């Protein structure tokens, strides 16, 4: 049986952490008991990490990584991936909007011969105009530019074979591009509808400005994918053009 590492980035999610822990352990104890939970505290100041510490004192499968300040969800996910010891890594949000009951379903799908199974919030419970619409547009754009066609890049809940994501560096808002990176490296990728619930406790940490940051990160991702190992193909082209212009 493969070991599963569940990676949870969280920032000020005091009201959600205990319910989340209970739900995950209930589902996983029943269905896939070889697992660990890595909670990454991204600079919480609401006392949430203390709740987890109490739980971790009684459960050695629960591990806590703590940042000294807020570095962002992507950095938190990257740290969780680095600490993960499992053969399968499943990131999930801490706010109970993703449903832990979907974890075994995604993991089982890997056994059909996939390296990445992406969650798809088909019935997403967020505001239509400020969240779902920009996210729909962003998904179209990301699919078009990366040529990896997924409906929901932004869904944190995905299952990865550890070997395909351990070495990928992540910056900015880039955790959502992981399935594009891994597909470029040859990972077999698919998606599955997953449940999505409205946020009952705490507040969303994001607004519309994230969409713009995501689009900017997309440019970086595209540039890195095309030119990281051959920057001369990009800069050289501009150089030759200006040389010609100068000559003329
Ligand atoms: N989060 C984080 N660091 C941040 C912002 C968010 O670790 O700087 C966590 C947050 O606690 C949650 C997940 O990332 O577990 C998704 O954030 P949120 O629910 O606010 O995003 P939304 O669902 O509204 O897109
Ligand atoms: Mg949320």
């Amino acid at each position: 049986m493969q070991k599963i590492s569940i990676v949870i980035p969280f920032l000020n999610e005091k009201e959600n952490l205990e319910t989340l822990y209970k739900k995950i352990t209930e589902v996983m104890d029943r269905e896939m008991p070889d697992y660990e939970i890595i909670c990454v505290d991204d600079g919480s100041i609401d006392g949430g990490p203390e709740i987890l510490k109490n739980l971790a004192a009684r459960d050695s499968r629960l591990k806590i990584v703590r940042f000294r300040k807020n570095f962002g969800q992507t950095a938190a996910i990257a740290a969780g991936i680095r600490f993960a010891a499992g053969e399968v890594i499943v990131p999930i949000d801490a706010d109970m909007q993703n449903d832990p009951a979907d974890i075994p379903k995604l993991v089982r799908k890997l056994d059909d011969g996939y390296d990445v199974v992406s969650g798809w919030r088909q019935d997403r419970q967020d505001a239509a105009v400020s969240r779902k619409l920009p996210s729909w547009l962003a998904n179209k754009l990301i699919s078009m530019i990366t040529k990896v066609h997924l409906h929901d890049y932004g869904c944190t809940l995905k299952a990865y074979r550890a070997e395909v994501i351990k070495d990928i560096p992540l910056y900015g808002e880039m955790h959502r591009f992981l399935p594009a990176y891994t597909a470029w490296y040859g990972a077999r990728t698919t998606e599955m509808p997953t449940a999505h619930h409205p946020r009952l406790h705490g507040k969303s940490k994001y607004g519309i400005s994230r969409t713009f940051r995501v689009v900017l990160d997309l440019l970086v991702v595209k540039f890195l994918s095309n030119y990281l190992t051959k920057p001369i193909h990009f800069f050289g082209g501009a150089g030759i053009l200006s040389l010609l212009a100068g000559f003329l």
Side-chain angles (χ1 to χ4, degrees):
M1 237 329 226
Q2 53 199 356
K3 183 180 170 119
I4 323 281
S5 298
I6 298 167
V7 168
I8 310 174
F10 71 97
L11 170 64
N12 300 335
E13 301 284 1
K14 180 175 71 179
E15 301 101 321
N16 293 310
L17 294 172
E18 188 153 1
T19 331
L20 177 73
Y21 168 79
K22 284 198 178 129
K23 190 80 206 274
I24 291 179
T25 47
E26 180 197 308
V27 170
M28 296 303 286
D29 286 345
R30 192 177 60 231
E31 303 206 30
M32 299 185 163
D34 190 9
Y35 69 95
E36 63 177 356
I37 306 174
I38 302 178
C39 289
V40 186
D41 165 29
D42 187 16
S44 298
I45 48 168
D46 66 346
E50 281 61 42
I51 298 175
L52 280 180
K53 267 195 202 159
N54 287 333
L55 294 169
R58 281 173 276 134
D59 184 349
S60 61
R61 297 164 309 181
L62 176 59
K63 288 151 195 157
I64 311 170
V65 178
R66 292 194 72 175
F67 285 176
R68 284 183 205 282
K69 64 176 262 293
N70 174 238
F71 285 95
Q73 190 186 352
T74 295
I77 290 176
I81 291 172
R82 189 160 338 128
F83 275 86
E87 286 93 54
V88 171
I89 299 180
V90 181
I92 184 169
D93 282 344
D95 58 359
M96 298 295 292
Q97 290 203 264
N98 296 137
D99 196 326
D102 283 323
I103 298 175
K105 193 173 84 174
L106 295 182
V107 173
R108 275 191 206 103
K109 187 79 184 168
L110 289 173
D111 293 332
D112 290 351
Y114 294 102
D115 299 306
V116 178
V117 181
S118 175
W120 169 15
R121 297 164 293 179
Q122 214 169 21
D123 187 17
R124 185 168 166 186
Q125 304 293 320
D126 281 321
V129 176
S130 62
R131 302 298 301 274
K132 290 204 286 194
L133 179 69
S135 149
W136 179 83
L137 280 168
N139 280 307
K140 290 273 170 214
L141 190 68
I142 299 172
S143 291
M144 196 174 84
I145 295 199
T146 63
K147 300 195 171 60
V148 178
H149 299 283
L150 292 178
H151 284 93
D152 194 1
Y153 271 90
C155 178
T156 305
L157 178 59
K158 299 181 195 294
Y160 300 90
R161 286 197 191 285
E163 66 206 50
V164 303
I165 52 165
K166 276 278 184 185
D167 296 326
I168 295 181
L170 292 176
Y171 317 101
E173 290 283 337
M174 283 185 194
H175 65 271
R176 71 195 58 250
F177 299 121
L178 265 175
Y181 273 112
T182 51
W184 288 332
Y185 288 119
R188 286 150 299 173
T189 305
T190 189
E191 63 184 357
M192 275 183 109
T194 48
H196 195 244
H197 307 292
R199 197 187 241 280
L200 295 179
H201 303 288
K203 281 203 286 278
S204 170
K205 313 295 180 288
Y206 298 108
I208 185 87
S209 69
R210 177 172 60 181
T211 313
F212 296 102
R213 295 201 301 272
V214 167
V215 170
L216 293 176
D217 285 341
L218 178 62
L219 295 178
V220 177
V221 167
K222 183 66 185 166
F223 182 83
L224 289 180
S225 81
N226 286 5
Y227 301 112
L228 181 65
T229 52
K230 41 182 171 25
I232 191 68
H233 291 190
F234 181 82
F235 294 112
I240 287 174
L241 280 179
S242 50
L243 191 73
L244 277 176
F247 183 71
L248 286 175

